[in-house]
Amino acid sequence: MRVAVPKETGAGERRVALVPDSVGRLTAAGFSIVVERGAGTAAGFADADYAAAGADVVDRGKLLAGAQAVVRVTGPAAEEVAELPPGIVLAGFLSPLSDTAGIERLTERGVVAFAMESIPRITRAQSMDALSSQSTVAGYKAVVAAADRLPRLFPLLMTAAGTVAPAKVLVLGAGVAGLQAIATARRLGAIVSGFDVRPAVREQVESLGASFLDLGIQGAETSGGYAAELTPDEQARQQAALEEQIPEFDVVITTALVPGRPAPKLIPAAAVEKMRPGSVIVDLAAETGGNCELTDPGSEVERHGVTIVGLTDFPSRTPYHASQLYSRNVTALLLHLAPGGELALDFEDEITGGACVTRPKVTA
Ligand code: NAD
């Protein structure tokens, strides 16, 4: 199977879907890989490294010739969909729950599309779990961004000029991103607290050396391991409890999500008002509306003296390792869809069927 890797076209996107290391692996497994010139440059991977790993490096106009699959980080723009040969396989973050127009275009074009976010989170598919790999990067980067903006130091320092008290960090939502944020803030020396509505998480938070913030709220966990949405009454109680506790903290990192729903509002404007000037909120849920009422998705604002970071591209801001991890996820998916480099799609398979979001209709 010949797999094409375009240079990403999304605004500000620096990642690339396959890195040279994966090209070597796939080539050895029977694939042929063609990479658009400059595709990896922004992430730190040179054309020469792709060529050395066995890829053909070509100009955009020649990329799709003979290709049976295209792998990307984010979905193709409308004009790129129009260039895709019908029947071609496409894999990437395709936002199947929110980008209905994009999915419709792919359906009309007859593309066999696999959304990385739709890969079932079962043990067998762990190596393909790009939501987790990118959340890990985002959780780390959110803490680094907060440390950079905070006018205080993170660690306890005892110096000849006196003692510096450590920063206090609160992480709301302790899934993949939240746990990485907790671990990173701990490594930087902060005193860290974590909270999640899923009761099972307490132990994981504590095992990272953080304390579990008791808000007196406990939600349900779905069979898939995700949080169920809180009732309006529980949400109001959570907001009130946080409003009381939040002024204690210098940094709040929020990562709370409920699949298929807008991000739960955890931090009301009144709570931001009570924080100390110079405090920082990094809202990793900004893309689905944000966990803080005052977050401006995609940008960074100051409200009541508090910096609120609503950037939605943290993985792309760490493009080398975000690409490396994503590339391993994509490689595992390709090896699943085309063992030995021969496409063999079995839509009865839980991974193949679950991740496929569009395919040509079979007429009887
Ligand atoms: P997510 O991104 O959907 O949500 C992030 C966190 O927000 C979750 O921990 C959730 O409980 C929490 N949350 C939701 N509403 C909240 C609220 N009102 N207040 C506070 N927190 C709230 O979740 P995720 O990070 O993708 O992972 C969720 C679970 O799935 C975890 O248990 C994780 O270990 C599990 N998981 C399993 C696999 C696998 O088995 N292959 C892979 C990845 C993740």
Side-chain angles (χ1 to χ4, degrees):
M1 179 155 99
R2 189 162 169 84
V3 179
V5 184
K7 184 170 159 57
E8 291 295 314
T9 47
E13 182 56 71
R14 300 168 191 84
R15 291 169 292 175
V16 60
L18 283 181
V19 303
D21 185 54
S22 303
V23 169
R25 213 178 139 212
L26 287 166
T27 309
F31 288 78
S32 128
I33 311 291
V34 54
V35 177
E36 181 178 347
R37 207 174 296 288
T41 311
F45 301 99
D47 288 344
D49 295 334
Y50 282 103
D56 293 328
V57 179
V58 303
D59 292 327
R60 188 163 194 95
K62 295 197 177 128
L63 187 69
L64 294 176
Q68 289 155 285
V70 179
V71 291
R72 314 181 44 110
V73 179
T74 61
E79 58 277 17
E80 293 174 299
V81 174
E83 289 168 2
L84 292 174
I88 200 164
V89 168
L90 168 72
F93 281 117
L94 304 176
S95 310
L97 295 180
S98 52
D99 186 11
T100 37
I103 296 296
E104 186 54 35
R105 274 194 294 272
L106 293 170
T107 310
E108 272 172 24
R109 191 73 196 157
V111 173
V112 186
F114 294 91
M116 297 306 285
E117 51 274 76
S118 301
I119 290 175
R121 285 177 130 178
I122 54 174
T123 309
R124 197 159 61 88
Q126 258 177 358
S127 57
M128 307 169 204
D129 186 351
L131 280 179
S132 285
S133 72
Q134 303 306 291
S135 291
T136 299
V137 176
Y140 163 86
K141 195 72 171 182
V143 172
V144 174
D148 185 40
R149 282 142 180 93
L150 191 70
R152 296 164 172 261
L153 296 166
F154 260 42
L156 166 77
L157 292 183
M158 292 163 116
T159 78
T163 299
V164 170
K168 287 189 173 171
V169 174
L170 172 63
V171 177
L172 295 173
V176 179
L179 290 173
Q180 186 56 237
I182 289 173
T184 305
R186 286 276 303 146
R187 279 186 213 114
L188 283 178
I191 294 182
V192 186
S193 302
F195 172 75
D196 198 291
V197 281
R198 289 181 297 121
V201 171
R202 174 188 279 265
E203 212 179 287
Q204 294 168 24
V205 168
E206 288 174 349
S207 73
L208 290 170
S211 40
F212 193 81
L213 190 72
D214 208 341
L215 293 180
I217 312 278
Q218 218 180 65
E221 184 164 326
T222 64
S223 54
Y226 291 103
E229 196 170 29
L230 296 179
T231 64
D233 174 57
E234 286 168 333
Q235 281 183 41
R237 283 198 293 127
Q238 182 178 25
Q239 286 195 1
L242 277 171
E243 193 175 325
E244 203 173 295
Q245 305 243 18
I246 264 179
E248 295 295 312
F249 295 94
D250 302 299
V251 169
V252 184
I253 312 273
T254 70
T255 76
L257 290 175
V258 176
R261 303 283 306 142
K265 286 280 176 281
L266 311 183
I267 308 179
V272 177
E273 220 168 313
K274 288 185 179 158
M275 291 180 83
R276 280 191 291 269
S279 301
V280 178
I281 296 173
V282 180
D283 192 342
L284 282 186
E287 196 153 8
T288 47
N291 289 143
C292 174
E293 218 167 68
L294 300 182
T295 296
D296 185 1
S299 57
E300 187 172 331
V301 294
E302 198 186 304
R303 298 283 181 263
H304 309 295
V306 176
T307 302
I308 306 173
V309 182
L311 300 177
T312 50
D313 61 348
F314 280 112
S316 172
R317 287 169 186 258
T318 319
Y320 182 91
H321 278 128
S323 299
Q324 187 186 82
L325 297 172
Y326 183 71
S327 172
R328 289 182 191 152
N329 300 140
V330 169
T331 300
L333 177 65
L334 286 173
L335 289 167
H336 179 75
L337 299 178
E342 291 292 329
L343 196 61
L345 298 176
D346 169 13
F347 293 105
E348 298 297 312
D349 171 72
E350 195 178 355
I351 299 172
T352 307
C356 183
V357 289
T358 73
R359 61 178 154 127
K361 289 185 188 73
V362 181
T363 43

